[in-house]
Amino acid sequence: MASFLVRDVRVFDGESAIEDGFVYVKNGKIISVGPVSRAPTDAIKTFSKPGHTVLPGLIDCHIHADMADPQALPQALRFGVTTVCEMQNEIDNVLKLKKQTLEPDTASYKTAGQAATIENGWPIPVILAHNDSDEVKAEIAKWPKLSNRENVVEYLEWTTKEMQPDYIKLMHESGKMMGAKLDYPTVDLQRTIVEEAKARGYLVVAHATSLQDTLDVLEAGVNGLTHTFCDQPPNKELIDAYKKTGAWLNPTLSAMGSLTTEGKDLQHQFAHDPRVEGLIDEKKIGNMCACMAFAAQHGKVEHAYESVRVLKHAGVNIVCGSDAAGPAKGTAFGLSMHQELHLFVHKVGMTPAEALQSATSLTAKCFKFEDRGRLAEGLNADLLLVEGNPLENIEATLNIRGVWRDGHLCSAHASKLE
């Protein structure tokens, strides 16, 4: 495996910056990072890029590669996302995606596998609303239908054997944000799943999009939330619940804007940014410009923004994930992460450094990914090289000049390094 040196660059290691530094990579691992005065001088392939910044590859902690979408992992990587965390998928799709990561030009793949679902619970209603074919119904019939400790244990033993998930995903959607009444688990059942999952060494994350649903899963003891909510403003009870549990939040603000339709203009802005040309096809651009609109009548994106502001102020860890999915209107693999970073800075009030931490080192810490998320000796050589300074202007994250996953250069950007 090739060795190379990136030097004469600003280095953001996931936590702090070196203004004139280097990163030395060998055999897919980072060998050393530091000021350029200490850079190795042996004859290795060198990229000298003054005026550029190298940072850890982004970690998108929330995607859905439905039907094992073959474009999900390559497209994510082209946009500098070197690791994706999937939040629900069937076993056959999981196995296909894991196999795909052995190919070049793909992002690394983490997964919840098959989520902990109940009879007629989320996301079954929304899936059938879009496609109620016999084939889809047959697939859903295989999903877990959890109701008690016995079948929770059976589910966890099954998913461990068949998929080896990286974390367990709960679904807790009452339908409040869309003005509907859906079947959803009791807090006692969710608490049972959390207890049994944690006893087996799993982190547990949860879907919830209303304030009350969020309070429910926090009471059940989850490690993190995979959405914030948009049905009403945050309150002190929410802050107290997060602080009591120590849970973190992945707010998926871009998806919230698509749900309420208030994010449409920003979706168009990112979809038609000239810097994305050649990295995404026209069909996916069109999909990103549309809106899911489920919460158009019953939600406000400002409630989502405000929830993140108050929770960040209270010391809750905020991590970055897009909820990008092939059929999900308003999203695009990889590209939506740059929109999310924009929102963290311009709507939530994070500094660019805090936003970048939320997509690199902080996500790795919250998910216990010890081999990535920072530029440090011995870690995976997952790198993103951009022109300019994203620590001053977060929009520079789209000035992509090079992406490496495990030390392999993404071919889409190879010509930009010449």
Side-chain angles (χ1 to χ4, degrees):
M1 204 177 284
S3 301
F4 64 91
L5 179 72
V6 183
R7 57 167 294 157
D8 307 311
V9 293
R10 180 180 300 100
V11 176
F12 177 69
D13 66 8
E15 295 174 351
S16 59
I18 301 169
E19 281 303 315
D20 190 16
F22 76 93
V23 179
Y24 175 34
V25 170
K26 186 176 182 179
N27 296 329
K29 299 292 183 182
I30 297 171
I31 302 301
S32 56
V33 179
V36 76
S37 60
R38 299 209 304 265
T41 57
D42 48 329
I44 59 174
K45 187 174 183 64
T46 299
F47 303 102
S48 175
K49 304 297 290 185
H52 290 61
T53 302
V54 65
L55 55 151
L58 305 180
I59 302 173
D60 186 340
C61 71
H62 191 152
I63 72 148
H64 296 276
D66 304 89
M67 307 300 291
D69 186 338
Q71 288 303 309
L73 304 184
Q75 183 173 305
L77 189 72
R78 292 196 293 271
F79 282 102
V81 176
T82 53
T83 301
V84 298
C85 300
E86 184 158 58
M87 288 296 164
Q88 147 71 19
N89 216 332
E90 296 86 1
I91 181 171
D92 290 345
N93 297 328
V94 167
L95 297 178
K96 288 178 184 177
L97 290 160
K98 286 185 175 183
K99 184 177 180 180
Q100 189 184 19
T101 64
L102 301 176
E103 303 172 5
D105 287 351
T106 60
S108 181
Y109 176 71
K110 302 289 186 179
T111 184
Q114 176 64 62
T117 47
I118 66 166
E119 189 73 44
N120 297 320
W122 189 266
I124 294 172
V126 70
I127 291 174
L128 293 180
H130 285 86
N131 185 346
D132 63 352
S133 67
D134 290 341
E135 181 183 4
V136 169
K137 289 178 180 177
E139 192 63 53
I140 288 174
K142 302 175 187 176
W143 287 14
K145 306 297 190 298
L146 304 183
S147 59
N148 56 47
R149 190 174 297 271
E150 181 180 2
N151 53 38
V152 166
V153 170
E154 290 174 355
Y155 154 71
L156 290 169
E157 291 178 348
W158 169 78
T159 194
T160 297
K161 177 182 177 182
E162 299 294 338
M163 289 186 250
Q164 297 180 326
D166 299 285
Y167 37 86
I168 299 299
K169 172 77 176 293
L170 307 185
M171 297 295 191
H172 202 82
E173 179 57 66
S174 65
K176 288 185 177 69
M177 66 95 172
M178 62 186 77
K181 290 186 177 181
L182 304 179
D183 293 336
Y184 65 105
T186 65
V187 174
D188 284 343
L189 178 61
Q190 300 289 42
R191 186 181 295 112
T192 297
I193 301 170
V194 171
E195 289 172 357
E196 293 291 348
K198 288 185 175 182
R200 290 160 175 78
Y202 288 116
L203 293 173
V204 185
V205 302
H207 166 109
T209 59
S210 73
L211 175 57
Q212 186 57 55
D213 292 355
T214 299
L215 294 172
D216 285 350
V217 290
L218 287 169
E219 183 180 343
V222 298
N223 296 100
L225 272 293
T226 63
H227 298 284
T228 191
F229 52 87
C230 60
D231 64 316
Q232 58 184 295
N235 58 21
K236 186 176 183 301
E237 186 180 4
L238 175 81
I239 298 169
D240 291 344
Y242 266 100
K243 295 182 75 171
K244 179 180 178 180
T245 62
W248 44 260
L249 170 63
N250 162 218
T252 63
L253 295 177
S254 300
M256 288 292 151
S258 176
L259 285 168
T260 69
T261 72
E262 295 162 284
K264 188 172 184 178
D265 288 347
L266 191 62
Q267 292 161 211
H268 274 263
Q269 177 183 320
F270 275 85
H272 293 101
D273 190 304
R275 294 172 294 178
V276 313
E277 186 176 350
L279 302 179
I280 181 173
D281 65 33
E282 289 298 320
K283 181 179 179 181
K284 291 182 174 61
I285 288 175
N287 191 67
M288 189 169 180
C289 292
C291 288
M292 290 183 274
F294 297 151
Q297 303 300 318
H298 301 276
K300 293 183 178 179
V301 75
E302 178 57 32
H303 297 330
Y305 298 156
E306 181 62 15
S307 72
V308 181
R309 293 185 201 115
V310 299
L311 290 171
K312 178 183 178 295
H313 182 74
V316 174
N317 285 328
I318 309 298
V319 295
C320 195
S322 66
D323 197 20
K329 295 178 180 179
T331 70
F333 297 114
L335 178 56
S336 289
M337 276 291 282
H338 297 272
Q339 181 178 337
E340 200 76 9
L341 290 170
H342 170 97
L343 290 168
F344 278 9
V345 172
H346 295 289
K347 294 297 184 180
V348 174
M350 288 188 184
T351 66
E354 288 173 333
L356 293 171
Q357 287 169 356
S358 77
T360 57
S361 60
L362 186 56
T363 296
K365 178 182 177 181
C366 289
F367 277 81
K368 302 188 184 300
F369 300 154
E370 297 181 354
D371 58 355
R372 68 197 67 204
R374 293 179 295 118
L375 302 182
E377 181 182 349
L379 273 59
N380 293 352
D382 295 346
L383 315 177
L384 169 60
L385 178 70
V386 301
E387 187 171 358
N389 185 1
L391 295 167
E392 291 183 353
N393 177 11
I394 197 65
E395 320 306 326
T397 60
L398 264 179
N399 297 334
I400 300 170
R401 300 296 178 262
V403 182
W404 293 262
R405 199 265 281 185
D406 293 331
H408 293 284
L409 176 62
C410 176
S411 62
H413 301 288
S415 65
K416 299 173 185 177
L417 287 171
E418 296 176 356

